Amino acid sequence: MRLSAFSTLKLQTLKCSRTCEGYLLAQIHIFLAMSFFRVKICSFNGEFFSIAHPVEAPFSAPPLPAIASYDKMMYLWLTDYIANTAGVVYQQAGILQVAVTPDMVPSSFPLQLNTASFKLILPNLYKKFPNMDMELFLNATKP
């Protein structure tokens, strides 16, 4: 039987859970392993769940690339999976929405939340409400 130079033995799996903002449950899984050649491996896998209805995300985490060599002290891969699972939970809870007001838009931004800025796109709005401030409501309707 021939062992690969980088074969590993799983030593321990730690699971950490924390609640966030009353809607999210963050779960982080830490996998610790050691190879036969004293190379320590530690990987983190995390995702968010709804506290009220904890179900798996409707998509899978992307596969991480295999480590070709172990000549570095640390390897780090970041994916959008954690942010996407948080977005799904917020959307399903109905809180992924925001009202953008004129004071939230920097004065240097070329488009201001004022009917004068939108008069070429929405001329009737400008005629009815000339030079009036506007609010922009954003709401996610699908995950």
Side-chain angles (χ1 to χ4, degrees), residues 88-141:
V88 167
V89 172
Y90 277 125
Q91 190 277 328
Q92 289 174 345
I95 58 171
L96 196 57
Q97 52 193 343
V98 66
V100 182
T101 59
D103 61 318
M104 298 168 76
V105 180
S107 60
S108 61
F109 193 72
L111 187 64
Q112 295 296 306
L113 288 178
N114 183 302
T115 56
S117 294
F118 288 87
K119 74 178 178 181
L120 293 176
I121 302 168
L122 304 166
N124 290 336
L125 179 69
Y126 178 73
K127 287 177 187 174
K128 190 170 183 179
F129 305 101
N131 295 318
M132 293 194 66
D133 285 342
M134 300 168 50
E135 287 188 7
L136 180 64
F137 293 96
L138 303 172
N139 183 21
T141 57

Side-chain angles (χ1 to χ4, degrees), residues 52-74:
H53 306 287
V55 295
E56 291 291 323
F59 45 83
S60 299
L64 297 178
I67 299 174
S69 67
Y70 290 86
D71 58 343
K72 306 290 185 217
M73 184 179 292
M74 183 174 89

Side-chain angles (χ1 to χ4, degrees), residues 13-17 26-32 42-47 49:
T13 301
L14 305 172
K15 183 178 176 181
C16 302
S17 297
Q27 288 193 343
I28 309 290
H29 301 271
I30 305 170
F31 303 99
L32 301 172
C42 178
S43 69
F44 298 85
N45 180 10
E47 61 188 315
F49 293 95

